[in-house]
């Protein structure tokens, strides 16, 4: 492998794996595989880019740092020349969160400073201008992310937000420098005294320019968009041949599990339920133990062939009520276990196409399934590819971050996941 990625959640991992595998025209991307946790085995020799998916976004800082350093050691042992620390394009973290400490720990281990920090992903509406993060035409704290149940983003100034988390000051490369080209960006980064530096980006062209500026940099951090130009660097240098994404999938029974409460996901549920069977999960009854995951399994299996969907999504007010009643971590943990158990039983019952919406829910589900390395297939919507496990009975997956995807995402995903 020549390019390694440490992702702080599972949907983000498939998001950046998709970006690297797709690459830029005309050469395409790298042969990419996603690994669920730090592998206990070497990567297949044909893999050029490896993405290690961790569930470290909301765990204690010390644990996130430790897991990330273990992932770094494995990637370096595979021969990786450049490392990407991938976090959410909406910078999901608290003031005491993990992005800063993990970024600084990786930089210290690699002996570098002037490290790019850029969550921009224009394809999904995330842009950074003057150090402020936008979602569409709204500042981050006005986009609905201020209501996130685990990482409410109440400040769009990500320089300031990252500064709360780091031991050293945070640098900044403004858009006026970015528009001057790769050499200007490289000069700004190479002369920086700060470990991490927020870099503006308002378009894919900006991200491609940043990609050219970090040729030879041992560490880059950001959302999946930061990887847009990285594959091209290795192809241009002759270290990779370039490849196009392939259509992969499998036939068989399908299931959709939704644990995200984002506005985009709630709209996708509303669209889906117009013509497909859906099951709303009563969180109060999950917390009290009145319902178990076998009810999801019964509902899904009774509706095979009709794209059945089970969800626990709620409005921000209802989420607040649940968290106040039971505790934020208790609700999250209980629902994660609930969906993970349901997924295990669904696979055992023969489901071979599985869609999971929500970063934390996806992490819980995929950890429970222990599918090993996943092959990256075609893109369903920006940031969401088809994933396929290996073995005699492959499982096709789509792991969707809460705010990603078009209104008809669920039915579109099932079609793309077919053989």
């Amino acid at each position: 492998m020549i390019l390694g990625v440490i992702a702080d959640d599972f949907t983000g991992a498939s998001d950046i794996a998709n970006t690297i595998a797709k690459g830029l025209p005309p050469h395409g991307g790298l042969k990419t595989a996603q690994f669920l946790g730090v592998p206990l085995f070497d990567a297949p020799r044909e893999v050029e880019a490896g993405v290690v998916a961790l569930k470290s976004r909301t765990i204690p800082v010390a644990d996130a740092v430790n897991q990330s350093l273990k992932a770094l050691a494995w990637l370096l042992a595979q021969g990786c020349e450049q490392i990407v620390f991938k976090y959410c394009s909406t910078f999901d973290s608290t003031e005491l969160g993990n992005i800063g400490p993990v970024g600084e720990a990786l930089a210290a281990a690699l002996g570098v400073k002037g490290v790019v920090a850029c969550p921009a992903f224009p394809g999904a509406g995330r842009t950074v201008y003057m150090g402020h993060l936008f979602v569409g035409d709204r500042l981050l704290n006005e986009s609905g992310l201020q209501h996130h149940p685990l990482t409410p983003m109440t400040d769009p100034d990500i320089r300031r937000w990252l500064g709360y988390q780091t031991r050293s000051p945070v640098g900044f490369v403004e858009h006026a420098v970015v528009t001057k080209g790769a050499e200007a960006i490289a000069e700004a980064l190479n002369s920086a005294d700060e470990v991490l530096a927020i870099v503006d980006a308002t378009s894919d062209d900006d991200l491609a320019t940043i990609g050219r500026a970090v040729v030879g940099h041992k560490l880059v951090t950001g959302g999946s968009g930061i990887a847009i130009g990285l594959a091209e660097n290795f192809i241009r240098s002759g270290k990779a041949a370039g490849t196009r994404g392939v259509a992969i999938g499998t036939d068989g029974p399908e299931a959709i599990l939704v644990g995200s409460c984002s506005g985009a996901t709630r709209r996708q549920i509303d669209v889906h339920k117009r013509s497909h069977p859906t099951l709303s999960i009563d969180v109060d009854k999950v917390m009290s133990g009145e319902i178990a995951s076998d009810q999801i399994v019964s509902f899904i299996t009774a509706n095979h062939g009709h794209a059945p969907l089970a969800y626990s999504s709620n409005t921000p007010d209802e989420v607040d009520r649940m968290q106040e009643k039971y505790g934020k971590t208790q609700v999250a943990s209980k629902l994660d276990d609930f969906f993970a158990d349901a997924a295990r039983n669904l696979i055992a019952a023969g489901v071979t196409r599985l869609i999971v919406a929500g970063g934390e829910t996806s992490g819980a589900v995929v950890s429970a399934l222990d599918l090993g390395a996943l092959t990256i297939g075609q893109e369903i919507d920006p940031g969401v590819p088809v994933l396929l496990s290996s073995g005699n009975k492959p499982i096709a997956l789509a792991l969707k971050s809460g705010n990603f995807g078009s209104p008809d995402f669920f039915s579109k995903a099932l079609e793309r996941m077919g053989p």
Side-chain angles (χ1 to χ4, degrees):
M1 289 198 308
I2 50 179
L3 179 63
V5 180
I6 302 165
D8 69 355
D9 84 334
F10 286 67
T11 56
S14 59
D15 177 3
I16 195 168
N18 174 69
T19 301
I20 296 168
K22 185 167 59 174
L24 291 171
H27 300 118
L30 304 180
K31 296 175 183 177
T32 306
Q34 180 174 332
F35 303 92
L36 309 176
V38 181
L40 300 176
F41 51 87
D42 286 340
R45 294 185 63 181
E46 68 271 14
V47 173
E48 296 171 323
V51 181
V52 176
L54 303 178
K55 196 172 184 290
S56 58
R57 179 170 298 169
T58 57
I59 65 177
V61 169
D63 293 339
V65 169
N66 183 51
Q67 289 185 22
S68 300
L69 290 175
K70 288 181 178 178
L72 173 66
W74 184 81
L75 290 167
L76 293 177
Q78 307 310 305
C80 291
E81 300 175 14
Q82 187 172 59
I83 303 295
V84 181
F85 169 40
K86 195 276 175 193
Y87 38 81
C88 189
S89 58
T90 48
F91 217 67
D92 293 6
S93 61
T94 65
E95 292 183 36
L96 301 176
N98 297 344
I99 294 175
V102 170
E104 287 186 319
L106 295 174
L110 292 168
V112 295
K113 62 180 181 178
V115 176
V116 168
C118 181
F121 187 14
R126 281 81 158 142
T127 56
V128 181
Y129 182 69
M130 296 308 291
H132 287 62
L133 184 53
F134 289 80
V135 178
D137 62 350
R138 299 286 180 179
L139 285 165
L140 179 65
N141 62 319
E142 300 172 357
S143 67
L145 269 297
Q146 69 270 33
H147 300 304
H148 193 287
L150 295 178
T151 54
M153 297 303 296
T154 56
D155 189 346
D157 187 336
I158 54 174
R159 274 190 297 169
R160 182 163 54 213
W161 201 255
L162 185 59
Y164 296 143
Q165 303 173 4
T166 56
R167 293 174 294 178
S168 62
V170 177
F172 177 49
V173 180
E174 65 179 320
H175 195 252
V177 175
V178 174
T179 58
K180 291 178 181 178
E183 289 186 6
I185 299 171
E187 182 180 350
L189 294 172
N190 292 336
S191 62
D193 291 325
E194 300 89 358
V195 174
L196 299 171
I198 298 296
V199 182
D200 280 348
T202 62
S203 67
D204 284 351
D205 286 343
D206 288 343
L207 290 170
T209 302
I210 295 169
R212 292 193 296 274
V214 297
V215 171
H217 285 217
K218 293 181 180 179
L219 179 64
V220 180
T221 84
S224 64
I226 200 63
I228 281 177
L230 301 185
E232 183 70 13
N233 292 338
F234 290 106
I235 295 167
R236 194 179 292 119
S237 70
K239 294 179 179 179
T243 184
R244 300 297 180 91
V246 295
I248 57 174
T250 188
D251 207 351
E254 74 286 5
I256 306 169
L257 302 178
V258 181
S260 168
C261 296
S262 74
T265 298
R266 296 202 311 274
R267 287 190 291 274
Q268 289 159 351
I269 293 169
D270 289 340
V271 169
H272 195 77
K273 68 169 52 174
R274 294 173 193 165
S275 52
H276 302 91
T278 58
L279 174 68
S280 176
I281 297 164
D282 189 318
V283 178
D284 274 316
K285 291 184 177 180
V286 173
M287 298 303 295
S288 67
E290 292 179 60
I291 63 172
S293 62
D294 57 0
Q295 292 182 244
I296 291 183
V297 177
S298 297
F299 165 76
I300 296 290
T301 54
N303 288 284
H304 279 334
H306 301 286
L309 181 154
Y311 67 97
S312 66
S313 300
N314 264 314
T315 63
D317 287 344
E318 184 63 14
V319 171
D320 289 343
R321 185 185 75 80
M322 291 293 174
Q323 291 181 340
E324 184 174 344
K325 183 176 182 179
Y326 299 109
K328 180 183 294 187
T329 57
Q330 288 83 353
V331 172
S333 177
K334 191 78 169 180
L335 287 174
D336 282 354
D337 291 345
F338 182 83
F339 279 113
D341 192 51
R344 271 192 301 263
N345 292 329
L346 285 167
I347 297 302
V351 165
T352 56
R353 290 181 293 157
L354 178 63
I355 300 171
V356 189
E360 296 298 315
T361 306
S362 294
V365 165
V366 177
S367 296
L369 296 181
D370 190 23
L371 297 174
L374 301 175
T375 301
I376 312 301
Q378 68 182 133
E379 187 174 60
I380 301 166
D381 271 331
V384 191
V386 175
L387 307 172
L388 190 69
S389 68
S390 57
N392 294 327
K393 187 181 178 184
I395 306 297
L397 293 168
L399 307 177
K400 187 190 84 70
S401 181
N403 286 292
F404 279 29
S406 57
D408 63 343
F409 174 82
F410 295 124
S411 56
K412 183 194 302 183
L414 286 176
E415 181 182 345
R416 298 277 172 87
M417 294 162 72

